[in-house]
Amino acid sequence: MSTANPEIGKKVRTGGFESNVHDQGTSAPGQPPVLFVHGSGPGVSAWANWRLVLPRLATQRRVVAPDMLGFGYTDRPQPADQAGVYTMDAWVQQAVDLLDTLDIAQADLVGNSFGGALALALAIRHPQRVRRLVLMGSVGVRFPITPGLDAVWGYTPSFENMRRIMDVFAHDRRLVNDELAKLRYEASIRPGFQESFGAMFPAPRQRWVDALASPEAAIRALPHSTLVIHGRDDQVIPMSTSLTLAQWIPDAQLHLFGRCGHWTQIEHTERFVRLVGDFLAEADAAASAAA
């Protein structure tokens, strides 16, 4: 029986460190790969966020999902050197370095929560590197921090704390059992994980919501076609953030999932895959028609 850890992909050089990256599928000529950026929950990794989505979309196109700096199995600085390391500048640079190393001139971006804020910032700062955007339960505009997000970022390791946070993430409590909570708790206490996580979002945490936000004028100037997705019952990121993004981004469409919390890609996997696949396929068809 294989004991390989599915969270570990391949090592890719990104600037001064190596990133753990999942790279699956093949894109047709002229079809850009899709870069998936995970959220910021305790013990999270690209695989934990996207494990149900990547194999399905990899049948249609190339998909790339890195562990961002400070998360998962990407190299991380020593604890004494972590203060001030985890910034939007650093995360955007990591994403650009990853695209450069993999020789990807342009990608579609799918960002979950914290990853949505990063995808938004990358599209604003490097618009030519992005074709289309998908923002799911996204941060990236200012909002009063929710009790749910404050609890997620304030997590301290224990099974009981992880169980409570899992209840906040999902609307359907059938998805949240002791086995899942145990897996996520064990992930959160792997060497280096909690040290990095604790250094990212110390209290008071409203400042980190603000730090992840992009300027309104820059969002309004985005030229990219954007799909905004949110769970109507999300207790972590308020639905108002996606309503704002859909209003500000000129070429945006909004899809709300009822009976859904912060885990759209897990609670409604098949619908999410169809929605994103169709949205990206539209751009493929348009590019083929223009060729």
Side-chain angles (χ1 to χ4, degrees):
M1 183 174 67
S2 174
T3 58
N5 184 345
E7 292 187 86
I8 298 176
K10 66 179 182 180
K11 289 289 188 181
V12 176
R13 174 61 57 176
T14 48
F17 59 93
E18 289 190 326
S19 292
N20 180 53
V21 181
H22 299 267
D23 191 344
Q24 303 176 14
T26 304
S27 287
Q31 182 189 63
V34 189
L35 179 65
F36 285 84
V37 189
H38 60 72
S40 61
V44 77
S45 66
W47 180 86
N49 250 199
W50 304 115
R51 66 189 183 279
L52 302 179
V53 172
L54 294 180
R56 289 167 170 82
L57 283 173
T59 64
Q60 305 171 21
R61 61 191 67 239
R62 184 182 180 189
V63 295
V64 178
D67 289 345
M68 300 311 296
L69 180 64
F71 296 96
Y73 291 87
T74 285
D75 291 348
R76 65 190 75 223
Q78 295 299 311
D81 301 325
Q82 291 187 24
V85 168
Y86 304 120
T87 65
M88 186 59 77
D89 288 345
W91 286 313
V92 168
Q93 189 60 53
Q94 177 191 3
V96 171
D97 288 339
L98 174 62
L99 294 177
D100 287 346
T101 301
L102 296 179
D103 197 27
I104 298 173
Q106 189 179 62
D108 294 316
L109 300 187
V110 181
N112 169 30
S113 194
F114 151 85
L118 197 161
L120 197 61
L122 177 57
I124 288 169
R125 300 179 190 190
H126 303 276
Q128 74 284 358
R129 305 302 298 268
V130 179
R131 185 180 70 163
R132 283 194 163 192
L133 274 173
V134 179
L135 306 175
M136 188 187 80
S138 183
V139 190
V141 298
R142 296 190 178 201
F143 61 91
I145 192 169
T146 62
L149 182 57
D150 199 46
V152 169
W153 281 351
Y155 167 83
T156 54
S158 75
F159 171 79
E160 292 74 18
N161 287 344
M162 184 60 78
R163 190 68 171 80
R164 280 192 287 270
I165 287 175
M166 294 294 99
D167 281 336
V168 170
F169 274 116
H171 173 74
D172 186 350
R173 295 301 188 271
R174 291 173 298 179
L175 292 173
V176 181
N177 54 35
D178 286 350
E179 182 182 3
L180 174 61
K182 183 173 182 287
L183 286 171
R184 289 298 295 264
Y185 163 65
E186 290 174 348
S188 77
I189 59 172
R190 288 172 183 152
F193 274 47
Q194 182 60 24
E195 290 84 353
S196 295
F197 188 73
M200 279 185 214
F201 309 112
R205 297 185 181 87
Q206 179 65 50
R207 56 185 165 155
W208 308 121
V209 173
D210 299 342
L212 292 173
S214 291
E216 177 180 347
I219 296 174
R220 288 184 179 275
L222 276 173
H224 308 89
S225 184
T226 303
L227 172 62
V228 183
I229 301 172
H230 214 103
R232 187 189 59 199
D233 309 292
D234 194 334
Q235 298 181 59
V236 180
I237 307 301
M239 186 174 63
S240 60
T241 63
S242 284
L243 297 176
T244 298
L245 287 167
Q247 289 172 338
W248 286 359
I249 298 172
D251 186 8
Q253 52 184 290
L254 173 66
H255 190 100
L256 295 178
F257 282 95
R259 300 182 182 275
C260 183
H262 195 55
W263 278 349
T264 307
Q265 83 282 24
I266 294 172
E267 296 190 70
H268 294 276
T269 302
E270 296 301 333
R271 288 175 172 175
F272 177 84
V273 168
R274 280 200 307 273
L275 189 65
V276 172
D278 288 348
F279 177 68
L280 301 182
E282 288 176 358
D284 298 337
S288 296

